Amino acid sequence: MRRFWIIATAILLWNLIGDAAYLMQATADLDAIAGTDPVTAAALHSMPAWAWAAYAVAVGGGTLGAVLLLMRRKAAWALFALSLAGVVVLFGWSFLGFDMVAAKGWSSAIFPAVIFAIALASLLYARAKAADGMLQ
């Protein structure tokens, strides 16, 4: 049981970091960013509203899923699934719509791959805990 609380708390903390990243990027001064990282500034500037919405769904769904996981509710897995869908849509735009790899190279795919893996692991963990009766 202690392991569950540690994992669920870590998932919540990870998602809270995602929430903070979303807020920082959504309110960023693009001129200031352009001075140090013009590619990121261009990506944020050209990001369509639906991609921002996917980003919000990804981080918001993950955070709510983590809260429900800590509350031991089965619905946590559904919010993690929604979050994962948001991640896929957001990074789909980043890599297909903006072509981040062409702009920054293959190393730009590492952190998104980590984010995808953690979102998927969170979903699978919640499903496993629902299946074994830990979540109600």
Side-chain angles (χ1 to χ4, degrees), residues 2 4 7-8 10 12 19 22 38 48 52-53 70 75-76 83 85 97 102 107 109 111 121 125 127 132-133 136:
R2 178 184 163 122
F4 169 81
I7 292 170
L12 176 61
D19 294 334
Y22 172 82
W52 280 107
L70 284 164
S83 175
S107 63
F111 194 56
Y125 184 74
R127 291 282 297 189
D132 74 10
Q136 302 167 5

Side-chain angles (χ1 to χ4, degrees), residues 15 18-19 52-64 79-80 82-88 90-91 115 119:
N15 280 283
D19 294 334
W52 280 107
Y55 192 174
V57 166
V59 298
T63 300
L64 290 175
L79 286 165
F80 286 132
L82 185 64
S83 175
L84 182 61
V87 167
V88 169
L90 172 63
F91 291 137
I115 292 169

Side-chain angles (χ1 to χ4, degrees), residues 37 39-40 99-108:
D37 188 351
V39 173
T40 298
D99 201 4
M100 188 63 75
V101 172
K104 284 194 161 189
W106 280 104
S107 63
S108 66

Side-chain angles (χ1 to χ4, degrees), residues 58-80:
V59 298
T63 300
L64 290 175
V67 168
L68 288 180
L69 186 63
L70 284 164
M71 294 172 63
R72 297 180 51 207
R73 300 289 183 249
K74 282 184 183 178
W77 77 265
L79 286 165
F80 286 132

Side-chain angles (χ1 to χ4, degrees), residues 14 80 83-89 91-92 95 109-124:
W14 170 258
F80 286 132
S83 175
L84 182 61
V87 167
V88 169
V89 170
F91 291 137
F95 292 102
I110 295 170
F111 194 56
V114 170
I115 292 169
F116 176 84
I118 292 172
L120 178 60
S122 299
L123 169 60
L124 295 175

